[in-house]
Amino acid sequence: MSYPHSAYFAASESDTSTLAEDIAGAIKTMLPAPSVIYLEGDLGAGKTTFSRYFIQSFGHEGTVKSPTYTLVEPYELEQVSIYHFDLYRLADPEELEFMGIRDYFSDNAVSLIEWAEKGEGCLASADIVISITTDGDGRRFQVQAKSAQGSKVLQHCKHI
């Protein structure tokens, strides 16, 4: 089955914020269905910046830090639980099983996963994959639905 995909160019951090808020708004309409988003890109591409704006659009007011050393940073918000994973330093995907990874992919939860390829075989399948590349001073986002849920999310987005 073929799912939709779209491109978005962010000339500034404000544009990245707009995209993150757009996708978050669409996911809010799908709750309590869980959503899994894989974020791909080189170091410094903007995965954590996208995640910060995404999480803040759900009402989080504190800082959003990269969970590089903790693997996951949970955000228990009023309407949803958001889990921000950064698997860059993951040595073995089995470590995810020991930390109870499957418990994170429950109803009313959104998972943002950076470096998902390092957890291959232990992660829930992505509903959306966002690939980020640098383009001059801006960022190019390739957003692809990977499930019926992801397709519905993209259909509700205004900017992609």
Side-chain angles (χ1 to χ4, degrees):
M1 177 174 237
S2 178
Y3 293 109
H5 65 280
S6 188
Y8 178 86
F9 181 73
S12 65
E13 251 191 67
S14 176
D15 292 341
T16 298
S17 174
T18 297
L19 177 64
E21 291 168 9
D22 193 19
I23 293 172
I27 286 175
K28 286 176 190 176
T29 69
M30 306 292 161
L31 292 173
S35 292
V36 177
I37 300 172
Y38 289 2
L39 296 165
E40 301 176 339
D42 293 336
L43 285 171
K47 298 178 297 294
T48 299
T49 299
F50 174 89
S51 298
R52 178 178 61 237
Y53 290 122
F54 182 92
I55 293 164
Q56 288 172 343
S57 72
F58 276 91
H60 177 71
E61 294 180 2
T63 60
V64 174
K65 57 188 178 204
S66 179
T68 302
Y69 293 99
T70 58
L71 296 183
V72 63
E73 190 68 39
Y75 298 89
E76 301 293 337
L77 304 172
E78 189 175 313
Q79 52 191 208
V80 66
S81 296
I82 299 177
Y83 302 107
H84 181 198
F85 293 87
D86 184 335
L87 306 183
Y88 182 72
R89 298 197 184 282
L90 185 70
D92 184 340
E94 263 189 38
E95 291 177 47
L96 297 173
E97 292 294 343
F98 296 129
M99 69 183 261
I101 190 75
R102 299 194 194 287
D103 295 339
Y104 290 95
F105 306 116
S106 60
D107 279 352
N108 216 39
V110 177
S111 297
L112 298 167
I113 306 172
E114 299 182 32
W115 305 98
E117 67 275 9
K118 293 187 174 248
E120 193 172 327
C122 294
L123 298 173
S125 298
D127 294 301
I128 297 171
V129 174
I130 301 173
S131 299
I132 309 169
T133 54
T134 55
D135 186 347
D137 290 337
R139 302 291 186 263
R140 190 161 303 282
F141 291 80
Q142 295 292 330
V143 183
Q144 184 171 16
K146 293 290 189 175
S147 69
Q149 167 82 357
S151 184
K152 287 180 192 173
V153 168
L154 293 189
Q155 289 169 4
H156 282 86
C157 289
K158 298 173 196 149
H159 296 92
I160 52 173

